[in-house]
């Protein structure tokens, strides 16, 4: 039987994808430390691929240029892209439910959400963010095709959805 080695005993051979999300959430006074930490990780694991995310205004252009990072921006979803994301989300959930033996027709639900967003410019604007759009799909399904009207209500509903699911999965009684 072979022996098992911890990955740090051969970092030059380790390969993988490392995602570092939310540099913008690091206080300004600590961003230099964050950059040094990223540099150290990249040097220790040189065969890995890295993605570091931040809001565009949080760090200057070329913030990680010396570490050979390129930069890319994620553009907001167009109306067509948003519609496609919504349709694919519903198709993926429908497929997964079918695999679990719980078939459910979700295409009409997706079409309903597309129509709702067309009629509500404020929510449609929020749905240009891919993550928020996907969460809106989940909320729309969970809340029987009803979405909050304002950004604040949407954020509250998202938190409630996530907390409810977390409590249910952890077996915490819901009051």
């Amino acid at each position: 039987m072979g022996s098992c080695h911890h990955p740090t005993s051969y970092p030059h051979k380790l390969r993988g994808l490392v995602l570092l999300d939310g540099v913008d959430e690091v206080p300004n006074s600590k961003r230099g430390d964050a950059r040094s930490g990223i540099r150290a990780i990249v040097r220790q694991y040189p065969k890995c691929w890295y993605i570091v995310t931040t809001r565009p205004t949080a760090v200057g252009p070329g913030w990680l240029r010396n570490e050979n990072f390129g930069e890319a921006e994620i553009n907001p979803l167009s109306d067509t892209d948003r519609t496609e994301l919504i349709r694919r989300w519903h198709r993926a959930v429908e497929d997964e439910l079918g695999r679990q033996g719980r078939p459910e027709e979700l295409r009409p639900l997706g079409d309903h959400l597309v129509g709702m967003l067309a009629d509500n410019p404020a929510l449609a604007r929020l749905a240009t963010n891919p993550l928020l759009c996907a969460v809106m799909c989940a909320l729309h399904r969970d809340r029987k095709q009803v979405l909050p009207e304002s950004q604040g209500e949407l954020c509250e509903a998202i938190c409630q959805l996530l907390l409810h699911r977390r409590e249910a999965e952890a077996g915490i009684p819901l009051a």
Side-chain angles (χ1 to χ4, degrees):
M1 185 174 255
S3 62
C4 180
H5 299 283
H6 191 274
T8 57
S9 64
Y10 51 94
H12 60 284
K13 294 182 181 180
L14 188 65
R15 296 184 66 96
L17 176 64
V18 178
L19 304 172
L20 302 168
D21 181 40
V23 169
D24 53 300
E25 295 174 21
V26 175
N28 287 337
S29 63
K30 300 287 185 185
R31 295 229 176 106
D33 294 339
R35 182 180 12 213
S36 296
I38 293 168
R39 183 181 303 124
I41 292 168
V42 169
R43 287 189 178 140
Q44 182 159 5
Y45 301 100
K47 298 241 183 213
C48 290
W49 293 278
Y50 296 86
I51 297 175
V52 179
T53 68
T54 184
R55 287 184 176 83
T57 57
V59 297
W63 189 69
L64 290 172
R65 185 175 296 128
N66 291 339
E67 285 71 38
N68 295 317
F69 276 74
E71 292 183 4
E73 288 187 30
I74 298 175
N75 293 321
L77 295 171
S78 67
D79 291 349
T80 302
D81 294 336
R82 183 185 65 225
T83 297
E84 185 65 20
L85 187 151
I86 291 168
R87 292 208 166 110
R88 286 183 184 205
W89 186 94
H90 285 84
R91 193 167 37 242
V93 171
E94 188 176 284
D95 291 348
E96 180 59 27
L97 289 171
R99 277 191 288 281
Q100 294 177 8
R102 301 182 299 147
E104 188 176 335
E105 175 66 36
L106 295 181
R107 287 184 183 110
L109 197 63
D111 292 340
H112 181 262
L113 179 56
V114 168
M116 281 183 73
L117 293 176
D119 293 339
N120 189 327
L123 288 180
R125 204 170 18 264
L126 293 173
T128 62
N129 174 296
L131 177 60
L132 275 178
C133 186
V135 171
M136 289 169 111
C137 290
L139 264 180
H140 180 256
R141 179 172 178 258
D142 190 68
R143 294 173 52 134
K144 313 278 189 262
Q145 302 183 31
V146 176
L147 284 178
E149 292 293 320
S150 71
Q151 182 175 350
E153 291 171 348
L154 178 67
C155 290
E156 184 176 334
I158 290 169
C159 289
Q160 290 299 321
L161 176 71
L162 295 174
L163 289 172
H164 177 77
R165 292 246 166 99
R166 181 183 167 276
E167 290 171 348
E169 288 172 4
I172 299 170
L174 302 172

